[in-house]
Amino acid sequence: MKLSTQILLAFTLVILLSVADSYTNYMLSKKVNLNSQFLARSEEIIRNSNKTHKAIIEMQSAFRGYLLTEDQTFLDSYFRGLKKVPLLIKEQQRRIGEKNVQRSILDSIKMLHNGWLEYSQELIKSRSEVPESYKNLFENSLKRHVGKKINDDISKKFSRFDRIEYKMRKHHTDMLLVSLKYTRTFSLIFLSLTMIVGILSTMFIMYVTNKRITSMVRLAENISKGNFTIVEDTRNDELTALATSLNTMSGKLDKNIHELKNRNAELNKFAYVVSHDLKAPIRGIHNVVSWIEEDHNSELSPELKRYLKIIPQKTKRMEALINGLLDYARLNVKASPEYINTNALVNEIADSIVPRNFKLEIGNLPDLFTERIKLEQVFTNLISNAVKYTPQADGHIKISCETFMHFHEFSIKDNGIGIAVEYHKKIFEIFQTLREKNEEESTGVGLAIVKKIIDDHDEYIAVKSELGKGTEFMFTWRNN
């Protein structure tokens, strides 16, 4: 599965969980809203029921007060109730709707109230207009508690109406609390699932990706060190192409390096063969010149003798160039690193190169774990170079070292003829020399060998010099 597909699936799962969370919260919020609306409407129904019952009770109290005192002022509340109660009952009917138990109770209350109104209106009218008729009505209705029975039935109806409403109110309150609880619970569950899926998906993708990228980085480091391994990658995604490319590159480099080593070996063999074949005629020329000088010395003119002396000089220079070329070719040979006492190494080299009349200073040099032959070649060529270009009358060579955190910086300083600034880079090129071409010891190979060794070890070399003011070569060297 491709990496982009895995990321897409992870995001899709997170989005689906978020959508499920949103949908669940939406449905639960609808229930919360419905229950809240019901409770608000129920509050209004209870309030209206109390107001209606209170208005009816006030009418009944006013009616009894009038009958007892025949005071018309009591009827003010009664007549206000005649207008108010129908409106309250109508409003209540609108609130509770049709076809339910409460509506039938409310209709019963309305019917009982209307019956009580007929009863009360008849008594009020007979009380004020026909006393004899009022007496009969009083005997037949009031004493038999007709009005009281109606009022008691109305109160019972109202009580039943309120009980039903409170019961429904409690049910919806419980439902509201349950909905709120479920809303919090489901929100927490979906939030937790979203976070868990998101974190696990991210950790999984990061783990797989980092692990594979680390293996590829390690492969690249191995390639840079000449260890041409491959990385196993069985996944079929975007990183697989990179792994395949690195494996291909490693394989090609391994093949090329192997071929290059074979060619270098062949070139070294060729160089040895050629050097041997070239040295033979050079020695032959030198012998022929010696024979001519020995056999025909008296017959040679002074000018011819001068020419014959030049020939051995040129042949010796040719032999020195061949030997320098061989030394340069041998630089491809690798040796195992070993512990080296640098002070002892430099003293040994100086004893064989530096004349006794030179003033030689060797500082405290660090011990190293490195290729002995390469470090020896560097010091040999630099010390030899200092001797060649320093007048022997007051020759002074100073060898020192400064140690830094990760490397050592060596210095070989002399008080010789110095090097002009324009030649500071040119001197490291092969066969470039500041000496005359007829001087056998100056082949122009020594500093080229030093530069190649320094470059092969990823080190740094620099020269500080001015014409007539001596020369200082500085190079860095690390432990292996």
Side-chain angles (χ1 to χ4, degrees), residues 256-272:
N256 292 339
I257 293 295
H258 184 70
E259 291 177 356
L260 186 60
K261 286 180 178 178
N262 291 336
R263 289 179 183 178
N264 283 336
E266 292 174 1
L267 285 173
N268 286 335
K269 291 178 183 178
F270 175 76
Y272 282 115

Side-chain angles (χ1 to χ4, degrees), residues 84-102:
K84 185 177 180 181
V85 171
L87 294 176
L88 290 172
I89 292 175
K90 187 176 181 181
E91 176 67 18
Q92 194 74 313
Q93 288 175 337
R94 184 184 66 79
R95 293 182 186 280
I96 62 176
E98 302 287 340
K99 297 180 180 179
N100 58 50
V101 177
Q102 285 178 296

Side-chain angles (χ1 to χ4, degrees), residues 344-356 360 376 379-380 383-384 387:
L345 175 69
V346 172
N347 275 287
E348 182 182 340
I349 295 170
D351 285 342
S352 63
I353 295 176
V354 180
R356 293 186 180 276
L360 178 64
E376 188 175 15
F379 276 113
T380 300
I383 295 172
S384 176
V387 171

Side-chain angles (χ1 to χ4, degrees), residues 20 22 106 134 138 146 158 261 280 304 392:
S22 300
L106 187 60
Y134 170 75
F138 181 82
V146 174
F158 270 111
K261 286 180 178 178
L304 188 57
Q392 294 193 14

